Amino acid sequence: MQNDMMSAIRAVVAEEVGKTMGRQVELLEKIAQFLGIEPGSAPAASAPKRTPVPPPASKRPPAPATAPKRPSSVPVRKWVKPEAASKPTRAGPAPQKSRGRPRAAGRTATAAALSSSPGPETSVSYELGQEVRYKQGRGSFSAKVKSIDAKAKTVTVERVSDGKQVVRPFDKVTPA
């Protein structure tokens, strides 16, 4: 009983849709034909059918309802990562690659080791009023020494070109 009622409602709805949306239904049928969907499988199967227009000779025939399956004799290609040329190996164990940010202990130990070792520039002593060149960014500027902080290993210099005073570390300053 309920199935009869549902099919009757569907038939009435399909009929009304067919009346009000005649052109759209025709376009939907053409789309369904192009996609290879049988018009009988649509829920609006009770709508008045139009005779399908055969496609012109230049167009390809409609696709079958099921896609053709690839024969089992055709191998499936899997993507394979190309192997890189072998590099010459060094003696000893290879360094283990680390990911992410290094631990704080490693950073402070290397910073302390670098600052404790005296470099060749640290032994250079600067005098007040001495002509020097210093590096900042991508440039190099001529300047005169204004003050020296041996404890912090920095030099305050005044640029010759514009008189601006900057503080630079010893390793960025060279005697002119």
Side-chain angles (χ1 to χ4, degrees), residues 28-39:
L28 287 172
E29 286 177 354
K30 286 184 180 180
I31 291 171
Q33 181 183 5
F34 178 75
L35 293 175
I37 301 171
E38 292 185 23

Side-chain angles (χ1 to χ4, degrees), residues 41-98:
S41 65
S46 62
K49 301 280 187 222
R50 291 175 177 76
T51 56
V53 178
S58 63
K59 291 192 177 186
R60 60 182 184 172
T66 58
K69 295 196 176 197
R70 180 179 60 245
S72 61
S73 62
V74 178
V76 177
R77 285 193 163 197
K78 300 270 186 184
W79 184 80
V80 178
K81 185 176 181 181
E83 292 188 26
S86 61
K87 295 180 182 178
T89 58
R90 290 181 279 173
Q96 185 176 359
K97 291 183 180 180
S98 63

Side-chain angles (χ1 to χ4, degrees), residues 38-169:
E38 292 185 23
S41 65
S46 62
K49 301 280 187 222
R50 291 175 177 76
T51 56
V53 178
S58 63
K59 291 192 177 186
R60 60 182 184 172
T66 58
K69 295 196 176 197
R70 180 179 60 245
S72 61
S73 62
V74 178
V76 177
R77 285 193 163 197
K78 300 270 186 184
W79 184 80
V80 178
K81 185 176 181 181
E83 292 188 26
S86 61
K87 295 180 182 178
T89 58
R90 290 181 279 173
Q96 185 176 359
K97 291 183 180 180
S98 63
R99 301 181 83 192
R101 190 172 176 160
R103 296 190 318 231
R107 283 197 309 265
T108 56
T110 56
L114 289 175
S115 63
S116 65
S117 62
E121 290 82 21
T122 57
S123 62
V124 176
S125 62
Y126 298 103
E127 300 174 6
L128 296 178
Q130 179 183 358
E131 286 280 329
V132 292
R133 289 196 57 84
Y134 73 93
K135 295 178 185 177
Q136 185 163 355
R138 294 186 180 182
S140 180
F141 303 95
S142 296
K144 289 187 178 184
V145 176
K146 286 294 179 184
S147 67
I148 303 165
D149 187 0
K151 184 177 179 184
K153 298 182 182 178
T154 59
V155 181
T156 303
V157 293
E158 182 179 0
R159 255 189 269 189
V160 174
S161 60
D162 60 357
K164 182 176 180 180
Q165 289 190 1
V166 293
V167 178
R168 301 301 295 151

